[in-house]
Amino acid sequence: MALIMETPVDALIKDEHETPKWKKSTVVFVLGGPGSGKGTQCANLVKHFSYTHFSAGDLLRAEIKSGSQFGAMIQSMIVDGRIVPSEITVKLLCKAMEESGDDKFLIDGFPRNEENRIVFENVAKIEPAFVLFFDCPEDELERRIMSRNQGREDDNIETIKKRFKVFVESTLPIISYYESKGKLRKINAAKPSEEVFEAVKVLFAS
């Protein structure tokens, strides 16, 4: 009889409370192309509406920095050029929501693809209240990213075009999915930041 080894991923998935507080939370996914202003608008929402803001990428980086066994596993995957399994990202999101003690969350830049979405629904077993989509034309996104260039390696025109292509191929199907469920809230993100937030405020005030 073969012995089945439990991996750190299995342990992470199994490590869940009977009735996690976040199961009754309000979750809003925040999506938009690179340079669409997601971070700025999330900061505004945290300040005005007392949401807690999580970025999936930030949580992965924080886990690596923590020196935990999961952090080491994530680091080795990234070094090897492998994609971190959606289960790990989702479990980190659930853990962060549980530890925050809050009940209103903005999850920024997630789900990035269809697999992310399916795993979130299967593991977290909650659906977003709605999806906030910052819609902005590619040429405007390019202009913004190039003008904010502060020495970041990924702020060059070739990399920007690649990032936008990935966004269109992976994330736009997610946006279409939530639109079909009546859960999409689209914002014209090409306008000045203050005007964009005025439109966002209307959604959250209601």
Side-chain angles (χ1 to χ4, degrees), residues 89-140:
T89 306
V90 169
K91 255 338 212 188
L92 289 174
L93 283 166
C94 293
K95 178 169 168 262
M97 288 192 286
E98 177 72 14
E99 290 175 351
S100 78
D102 295 327
D103 63 357
K104 295 192 300 183
F105 302 101
L106 301 168
I107 301 183
D108 173 6
F110 183 93
R112 285 184 183 275
N113 54 44
E114 191 69 4
E115 189 210 8
N116 280 176
R117 177 189 70 74
I118 292 166
V119 171
F120 186 87
E121 288 182 5
N122 289 343
V123 174
K125 293 185 169 59
I126 54 174
E127 283 198 15
F130 61 89
V131 175
L132 183 60
F133 171 43
F134 291 107
D135 191 20
C136 195
E138 183 177 4
D139 56 352
E140 174 62 14

Side-chain angles (χ1 to χ4, degrees), residues 16 34 39 56 73 92 106 115 117 131 136 164 175-176 188 190 204:
E16 61 182 11
M73 182 176 64
L92 289 174
L106 301 168
E115 189 210 8
R117 177 189 70 74
V131 175
C136 195
F164 190 78
I175 289 159
S176 297
N188 179 357
F204 282 80

Side-chain angles (χ1 to χ4, degrees), residues 38-55:
K38 294 192 308 293
T40 299
Q41 299 304 335
C42 282
N44 287 336
L45 287 166
V46 168
K47 185 177 173 183
H48 285 81
F49 293 97
S50 302
Y51 272 73
T52 296
H53 173 214
F54 291 126
S55 154

Side-chain angles (χ1 to χ4, degrees), residues 18-195:
E18 288 298 311
T19 52
K21 291 193 290 287
W22 46 263
K23 291 252 181 175
K24 298 172 184 174
S25 300
T26 299
V27 171
V28 176
F29 291 148
V30 183
L31 297 173
S36 60
K38 294 192 308 293
T40 299
Q41 299 304 335
C42 282
N44 287 336
L45 287 166
V46 168
K47 185 177 173 183
H48 285 81
F49 293 97
S50 302
Y51 272 73
T52 296
H53 173 214
F54 291 126
S55 154
D58 287 349
L59 289 175
L60 287 168
R61 285 186 283 274
E63 192 67 21
I64 291 169
K65 273 190 177 178
S66 75
S68 73
Q69 61 172 324
F70 306 119
M73 182 176 64
I74 293 163
Q75 177 71 27
S76 70
M77 286 176 177
I78 292 169
V79 168
D80 291 345
R82 288 180 287 156
I83 294 169
V84 177
S86 296
E87 286 88 347
I88 292 179
T89 306
V90 169
K91 255 338 212 188
L92 289 174
L93 283 166
C94 293
K95 178 169 168 262
M97 288 192 286
E98 177 72 14
E99 290 175 351
S100 78
D102 295 327
D103 63 357
K104 295 192 300 183
F105 302 101
L106 301 168
I107 301 183
D108 173 6
F110 183 93
R112 285 184 183 275
N113 54 44
E114 191 69 4
E115 189 210 8
N116 280 176
R117 177 189 70 74
I118 292 166
V119 171
F120 186 87
E121 288 182 5
N122 289 343
V123 174
K125 293 185 169 59
I126 54 174
E127 283 198 15
F130 61 89
V131 175
L132 183 60
F133 171 43
F134 291 107
D135 191 20
C136 195
E138 183 177 4
D139 56 352
E140 174 62 14
L141 296 176
E142 286 177 11
R143 187 193 65 75
R144 288 181 183 180
I145 295 172
M146 293 307 289
S147 65
R148 79 179 183 192
N149 193 327
Q150 297 170 329
R152 279 177 51 174
E153 287 180 18
D154 59 350
D155 282 358
N156 62 70
I157 200 70
E158 293 81 11
T159 308
I160 293 164
K161 285 187 178 295
K162 281 181 191 169
R163 285 167 66 198
F164 190 78
K165 184 170 182 282
V166 168
F167 170 75
V168 169
E169 290 173 353
S170 301
T171 310
L172 281 187
I174 301 295
I175 289 159
S176 297
Y177 170 81
Y178 283 114
E179 187 170 30
S180 73
K181 295 194 78 175
K183 290 200 168 198
L184 190 73
R185 306 291 181 270
K186 190 185 290 190
I187 297 288
N188 179 357
K191 293 180 179 179
S193 177
E194 297 77 12
E195 287 184 39

